[in-house]
Amino acid sequence: MDIKYAINYIVQQQAKMQAFSHAANMLYFDSLTTAPKGGSEEFAQSMGVLSEAEYNLLVNNDMEHALDYLNEHLEDLDPLTAAQVKELTSQLNKSRRIPVEEYVAYEVLRNKAESAWHEAKYTNNYPLFGDYLARIIETCKRFSDYYAPGEDAYNVQLDGFQKGNTRQALDEYFSVFRRDILPLFKRISQAGDCIDNSFLFRTYPIDSQRRLSSYIMDVMTLDRKHCALAETEHPRTMIFHKNDVRITTHYYPNKLHASLYSTIHESGHAVYELNTGDALKGTVLARGISMGMGESQSRFFENIIGRSREFIDFLFPKLTELFPEQLHDVSAEKFYQAVNKVQASSIRMEADELTYSIHIMIRYELEKMLFDDALHTRDLPEAWNALYKEYLGIQVEDDSHGVLQDNHWSHGSFGSFPCYYLGNCYGAQFVENMKQDFDVTTAVREGNMRPLIKWLTERIYQYGKSIDAAQAIYNCTGTSFNPEYYNRYLIKKFGDLYGV
Amino acid sequence: MDIKYAINYIVQQQAKMQAFSHAANMLYFDSLTTAPKGGSEEFAQSMGVLSEAEYNLLVNNDMEHALDYLNEHLEDLDPLTAAQVKELTSQLNKSRRIPVEEYVAYEVLRNKAESAWHEAKYTNNYPLFGDYLARIIETCKRFSDYYAPGEDAYNVQLDGFQKGNTRQALDEYFSVFRRDILPLFKRISQAGDCIDNSFLFRTYPIDSQRRLSSYIMDVMTLDRKHCALAETEHPRTMIFHKNDVRITTHYYPNKLHASLYSTIHESGHAVYELNTGDALKGTVLARGISMGMGESQSRFFENIIGRSREFIDFLFPKLTELFPEQLHDVSAEKFYQAVNKVQASSIRMEADELTYSIHIMIRYELEKMLFDDALHTRDLPEAWNALYKEYLGIQVEDDSHGVLQDNHWSHGSFGSFPCYYLGNCYGAQFVENMKQDFDVTTAVREGNMRPLIKWLTERIYQYGKSIDAAQAIYNCTGTSFNPEYYNRYLIKKFGDLYGV
């Protein structure tokens, strides 16, 4: 073994891993977009073979030897290779610490749990899902102990979605959030229902909505040579590689804002991934840093930019061109107010910008209790409903519209929800610094996203996974994370809007 | 090694091969339908990794040992396992006889040749492609010698598309064809241009054409749980597995018959693959027998059924419902005549049913000469044009509309064209026997394809690749292949239509 050989080996393995993940993502994307339903069994079989092949490229003796050798010579490696070695070692350690039969059993459990969740949601029957949830949590805790023996299991989950994320840090951030934002929400609720958004629910022809999405892609600089738009039940971004990213949306004839803002949101994910550096191509570093950093981009463009007065001023002429009848009695100002209307809702996916993070806080508190055995899955619906009453003042209609609304837990994705909150906070902190470097407001009013994307590319996107979240935040702000920016942003925006 | 172990091994390898081919086909399908163009380099890389993985599943020592062992115990195997062993052994022998570096060099050459062909076609510059063609042929001949030392190289090519197909047999079949059909074509040409098909070139809205394709899929019994329709530049059928087959079409606003008949044609391919037996799933036998047998089904439904008077009688009310203005002055009889109008054309893909096989015969004769060194690739355009003049009486406009029109040769697909002719012949022979078993005419007049598909499934489809073409023909006819049926069919149909 020498350095050149070992580097060559890990480069080749990563290229193959990329090919298998490309293929698996493509099968998955097809299953969401065009696949006939009757092929689901063979789809699952092929996915299994591809994921096993990808696993075997990472978890094998040659890879272990190569990484052991390179870890012993880290100081001789260029920074990008060193970052690959670190990331591969981390992935390999995680994978090999779980006994294969337990991993397979967990995959089976997750599949069953997702089916049970689906049925429970559509029949409003939580008990169908409750036992599966308990077993998922138990497995997550057991796996946490394999990954990081003796560590707090919930912290291990959090770390999986963003390296270094901990409950200690989040407790502090959420206490800052709670301190300012719950009172702000209360003041707004007391101010009464003064914003009319009913025109958003008029009939908007799907064809014109499609043209709007295409226009949004242009504004977001999404080059059709590297990005395409499809339609799925739930909007999402699929990253095959930096030269091929697909975003999806869902058109509702009676909800103009749904596809408009989901297209901006997914475009935010897409610009990140499309602007990772060429040097990272084919390696494990050729992706965004973490879920939190990814959401910071999607939610930045969706909310901080997309729901700003400047952006609405820019967009409104296009909207009236596409929907002259539907918007004949609406002004840009009325549109701005409507898409920012604060309204407590039981459904996270329909939440406004202000209450969204409250939905997240509720989930975060419940996840901690579940992992601490302070809450039995049997009693989860009751606890869920109590927190919705306490924080948002609303009575959850039923479990389908309550604890069963999201599918994250059926996948075992505990610790992912807080990333949406972190993403919100990052965006608010970044934009303050961005404004010191150039005139963001004017660029947005002109619909010119290029300087924003350039600024973010220079500080975050180009590095892919070769830096961590803390480094990205430092690159953008010259300092470390501070949750106060987001509070200030919300207080200013919604205080002004509601005069509170 | 024991039998159980060896069988288990080849079953598992085939399941994995199926998964990789599923994934590769999906990437390819995506590249034809929705992929943004800028990802072509990574697409090629991923395809390379997947095809190497599939190759390694087949070509390795364990597989060789398992197949050697099973070949020694063929008499102890059930027929399906024996057929798998035979097919795998044949594939393995082919693959391992070519030195890997020569295979890789050939893939590079094919890619370059296809690009050169593309440019040559679009700039009408045959010499750009001629040298590549010479090198492709030279490589094919060299590979033939690896596969089957001492055998006639063109026969080896033919055998690759349909086992057992030879030039000796084809020479005989085409002499029968030439004997009757060239005179028939001459009589029709002399009868003059008495059929008006100009209404087919009116403006047919794409949306209504899409509804027509969907209706055709229903008529062809294509269950949407297992089959979906997409749009590509060139119509084709993609078989992922028997529970997921995609067909594609291309809509031209001014050519109603193009999408109508391509949808029927691809549906014919689809019903074959969708009706292979469940016992073959995940094995190398889970596909149609050969290109000739595949084309027999697509061209049977496209021409013998789809261009029959009964089918037009059935379809015409639907056509007038979808295109009331365009067809207001057209009768079912006029429509029948129009879609059967005989008209010599320089383009195979636009040929009518009668002249189609003449285009094939020209290519067959040229392929033989090229492989026998009786024709230099430099002189191919001249030879091409001379045969078009001789057989079809037309002057080829230029090489783009002549020798460069098809891409088959740029891929090295020599010996595939004759399969279209064989497919035409098989269909004509099958339908004669089908008519002895049930009232085909009445079923078609009612748009009821089920009894036809059932008859073909019982005799051909269910067996997949576990039987050969001769067996399928025997199952359908109780005898062996006879090219006279097709002549009789053409003489009757077109003799009646033109009164000659």
Side-chain angles (χ1 to χ4, degrees), chain A residues 84-377:
Chain A
Q84 288 169 41
V85 169
K86 244 172 106 178
E87 176 64 23
L88 284 167
T89 305
S90 156
Q91 289 186 13
L92 173 61
N93 283 340
K94 267 202 162 172
S95 296
R96 69 179 158 188
R97 282 182 192 169
I98 298 181
V100 173
E101 59 284 5
E102 291 190 40
Y103 183 77
V104 172
Y106 181 54
E107 288 300 303
V108 173
L109 173 62
R110 294 209 306 171
N111 274 327
K112 287 187 184 162
E114 204 191 350
S115 298
W117 165 77
H118 206 267
E119 204 187 332
K121 177 171 177 175
Y122 287 94
T123 59
N124 187 36
N125 188 350
Y126 173 79
L128 283 182
F129 175 57
D131 283 347
Y132 283 107
L133 182 61
R135 288 167 59 197
I136 293 255
I137 293 171
E138 185 236 297
T139 312
C140 285
K141 288 164 78 170
R142 185 153 34 87
F143 284 9
S144 292
D145 216 44
Y146 288 134
Y147 294 151
E151 293 287 323
D152 176 85
Y154 189 57
N155 273 347
V156 178
Q157 301 298 314
L158 289 168
D159 189 84
F161 290 97
Q162 176 152 321
K163 285 213 174 87
N165 200 13
T166 66
R167 60 197 294 170
Q168 289 73 21
L170 284 171
D171 280 347
E172 185 202 322
Y173 305 154
F174 274 117
S175 81
V176 168
F177 177 78
R178 193 167 20 230
R179 181 196 69 209
D180 291 342
I181 305 306
L182 289 182
L184 172 65
F185 173 61
K186 197 164 210 175
R187 291 198 299 280
I188 290 171
S189 302
Q190 286 163 350
D193 184 9
C194 54
I195 292 178
D196 173 24
N197 67 351
S198 60
F199 63 83
L200 293 174
F201 302 90
R202 290 173 179 166
T203 302
Y204 291 87
I206 302 293
D207 263 6
S208 302
Q209 291 196 50
R210 287 205 181 98
R211 281 200 288 278
L212 177 59
S213 290
S214 178
Y215 180 73
I216 291 292
M217 287 178 73
D218 289 342
V219 172
M220 290 293 294
T221 78
L222 297 180
D223 168 7
R224 301 307 199 285
K225 277 179 74 180
H226 301 111
C227 188
L229 176 72
E231 296 175 31
T232 53
E233 178 63 24
H234 301 289
R236 59 181 304 143
T237 300
M238 295 291 301
I239 303 121
F240 298 132
H241 48 77
K242 77 156 280 186
N243 282 320
D244 186 355
V245 174
R246 316 287 171 94
I247 62 172
T248 75
T249 189
H250 190 103
Y251 298 104
Y252 298 91
N254 294 99
K255 282 187 204 170
L256 173 62
H257 50 304
S259 73
L260 168 60
Y261 282 102
S262 83
T263 303
I264 302 177
H265 179 100
E266 304 306 332
S267 295
H269 283 301
V271 288
Y272 190 166
E273 306 289 344
L274 289 165
N275 287 296
T276 53
D278 282 339
L280 311 175
K281 274 172 69 170
T283 76
V284 284
L285 307 175
R287 288 292 299 270
I289 293 171
S290 64
M291 184 175 160
M293 200 53 68
E295 288 298 320
S296 82
Q297 299 311 304
S298 54
R299 304 187 67 75
F300 170 72
F301 283 106
E302 177 191 351
N303 293 322
I304 295 179
I305 301 303
R307 285 189 163 91
S308 70
R309 205 170 247 117
E310 304 85 72
F311 188 77
I312 302 295
D313 283 346
F314 158 73
L315 189 66
F316 199 69
K318 188 72 188 177
L319 290 171
T320 53
E321 178 194 320
L322 287 169
F323 309 106
E325 288 170 34
Q326 293 84 348
L327 297 175
H328 77 280
D329 55 351
V330 177
S331 65
E333 178 60 25
K334 276 187 76 174
F335 198 90
Y336 168 73
Q337 292 175 11
V339 297
N340 285 298
K341 181 181 170 82
V342 175
Q343 198 165 27
S345 141
S346 57
I347 305 295
R348 174 183 64 89
M349 294 284 285
E350 295 174 3
D352 56 83
E353 185 180 2
L354 181 74
T355 56
Y356 190 90
S357 292
I358 303 178
H359 289 263
I360 298 305
M361 190 170 65
I362 291 171
R363 285 156 180 74
Y364 171 63
E365 295 194 4
L366 293 169
E367 288 189 346
K368 282 193 297 180
M369 289 195 276
L370 288 167
F371 268 71
D372 292 348
D373 292 327
L375 175 65
H376 193 283
T377 51

Side-chain angles (χ1 to χ4, degrees), chain A residues 19-20 22-23 26-27 30 34-39 42 46 49-50 53 224-228 241 243-244 246 281, chain B residues 19-20 22-23 26-27 30 34-39 42 46 49-50 53 224-228 241 243-244 246 281:
Chain A
F20 288 129
H22 183 189
M26 188 61 77
L27 285 174
D30 175 77
T34 45
K37 295 300 163 221
E42 291 84 354
S46 294
V49 171
L50 289 169
R224 301 307 199 285
K225 277 179 74 180
H226 301 111
C227 188
H241 48 77
N243 282 320
D244 186 355
R246 316 287 171 94
K281 274 172 69 170
Chain B
F20 287 128
H22 183 188
M26 187 62 76
L27 286 174
D30 175 76
T34 44
K37 297 298 164 223
E42 292 84 352
S46 294
V49 171
L50 289 169
R224 300 307 198 285
K225 279 180 70 180
H226 300 110
C227 188
H241 47 76
N243 283 320
D244 186 354
R246 316 285 171 95
K281 273 172 69 172

Side-chain angles (χ1 to χ4, degrees), chain A residues 371-392:
Chain A
F371 268 71
D372 292 348
D373 292 327
L375 175 65
H376 193 283
T377 51
R378 195 179 42 232
D379 305 319
L380 175 60
E382 205 180 321
W384 178 285
N385 295 347
L387 286 177
Y388 266 81
K389 184 81 195 154
E390 182 184 344
Y391 290 146
L392 285 166

